[in-house]
Amino acid sequence: EADIYQTPRYLVIGTGKKITLECSQTMGHDKMYWYQQDPGMELHLIHYSYGVNSTEKGDLSSESTVSRIRTEHFPLTLESARPSHTSQYLCASSEGLAGVTDTQYFGPGTRLTVL
Amino acid sequence: GDSVTQMEGPVTLSEEAFLTINCTYTATGYPSLFWYVQYPGEGLQLLLKATKADDKGSNKGFEATYRKETTSFHLEKGSVQVSDSAVYFCALIPRYGGSQGNLIFGKGTKLSVKP
C-alpha cells in the first residue's frame, strides 16, 4: 500500500492569497511529481524532483513553485492565487531508480478553487 | 515527440459487458506501457504495466498486451462491474529521449458501468 498524503483535500480561497499545498510520502522515494488535472481529466506535469535540493519544471508552464528540502516532503506554493489556478493538483512519488519501468504512486489530490 | 492516444469517452456499459479501451502510442525505441485508474474522488493508481514487446499485464481481471507491430496497448476486461466505474489512463515512459523517465499520459477515458 502506497503512503502518500496531500493536504488539504479541498481549498477555497480568494484571489491574491498565498497558498501552499502539502505533499508527503513515507516510502523513502527519491523522485516526486506535481500534476495539474483539468476538468476534462487531462493530466499535466508541472514540477518534478529527483531528490533533495532538486526541482525541475514539467511540460506545462506553471506560476507555482516547489521546494525539496527533505526527501519525504514536496510542497507546492502559489504566491498569488488567481481564478485560472482553479484545478485539481495531484502529487506522486516513485523510486526513481527503475528508470523506464518506474511506477508512480499518487496522493488523493487537492481540489483548489480560487474565487 | 512521444505521445499516447486513447479512445475518447465517456464509455457506458451494462454490468457484465465486455470492455475494450483502445490505446496507441508513438515513441522512439520500446517504451514501457502502463494503465492507471482513477476512481471518483481519488488519485491515480497503477492498474497494470508491460515493459517489453508481447508482455501481457494483468490485474483485477483487466488485461493489456504490448503489441509492438501495431504500437498498441489496449485494455480489456471480460465482465465489468459497477465498481469498475472510473477514469482510465494509458501512459508510457520512453526508453530514450528527454523525458527524464517521466510518464506521458493519454487524455483519459471515463467508464460508467450501469447495474
Side-chain angles (χ1 to χ4, degrees):
Chain A
E1 187 75 20
D3 295 315
I4 180 164
Y5 308 98
Q6 291 186 244
T7 57
R9 291 292 311 275
Y10 304 92
L11 180 62
V12 180
I13 60 166
T15 297
K17 299 292 186 183
K18 178 180 178 179
I19 61 165
T20 297
L21 308 185
E22 301 288 348
C23 175
S24 295
Q25 51 95 4
T26 59
M27 297 170 283
H29 285 168
D30 285 322
K31 203 166 177 186
M32 295 188 74
Y33 314 77
W34 276 104
Y35 292 89
Q36 186 172 334
Q37 186 171 30
D38 61 29
M41 305 174 302
E42 194 168 354
L43 291 157
H44 304 281
L45 179 67
I46 52 175
H47 299 283
Y48 61 101
S49 166
Y50 289 106
V52 171
N53 295 326
S54 155
T55 61
E56 305 286 343
K57 292 189 181 298
D59 306 318
L60 179 70
S61 177
S62 173
E63 293 167 350
S64 59
T65 59
V66 293
S67 62
R68 190 90 183 274
I69 299 172
R70 302 197 315 266
T71 297
E72 64 271 21
H73 194 214
F74 192 42
L76 180 145
T77 298
L78 277 166
E79 290 292 334
S80 180
R82 295 205 302 269
S84 60
H85 296 138
T86 294
S87 191
Q88 165 116 304
Y89 292 85
L90 293 169
C91 180
S93 72
S94 68
E95 288 185 355
L97 300 177
V100 72
T101 64
D102 214 14
T103 296
Q104 291 187 23
Y105 298 89
F106 284 78
T110 294
R111 186 167 296 280
L112 172 66
T113 302
V114 184
L115 303 176
Chain B
D2 304 313
S3 66
V4 175
T5 302
Q6 62 182 104
M7 64 187 285
E8 292 188 20
V11 174
T12 302
L13 296 173
S14 297
E15 205 164 24
E16 298 183 3
F18 184 86
L19 168 71
T20 299
I21 300 178
N22 291 335
C23 172
T24 57
Y25 67 89
T26 301
T28 303
Y30 304 119
S32 289
L33 302 173
F34 304 79
W35 277 100
Y36 280 82
V37 59
Q38 184 177 29
Y39 297 103
E42 299 182 11
L44 280 71
Q45 56 185 269
L46 178 68
L47 182 59
L48 52 86
K49 69 180 182 182
T51 59
K52 60 183 187 297
D54 300 323
D55 265 2
K56 177 186 282 188
S58 62
N59 186 26
K60 300 181 182 179
F62 291 90
E63 292 183 342
T65 301
Y66 190 140
R67 300 288 188 200
K68 181 183 65 174
E69 61 278 9
T70 55
T71 62
S72 65
F73 193 54
H74 305 321
L75 182 69
E76 296 181 336
K77 187 176 185 183
S79 176
V80 293
Q81 304 300 312
V82 172
S83 57
D84 294 326
S85 298
V87 180
Y88 293 81
F89 292 90
C90 187
L92 66 83
I93 296 179
R95 197 166 293 274
Y96 307 112
S99 76
Q100 311 300 328
N102 295 334
L103 281 165
I104 296 172
F105 284 98
K107 293 186 177 182
T109 303
K110 184 174 183 178
L111 170 67
S112 295
V113 180
K114 306 299 184 185

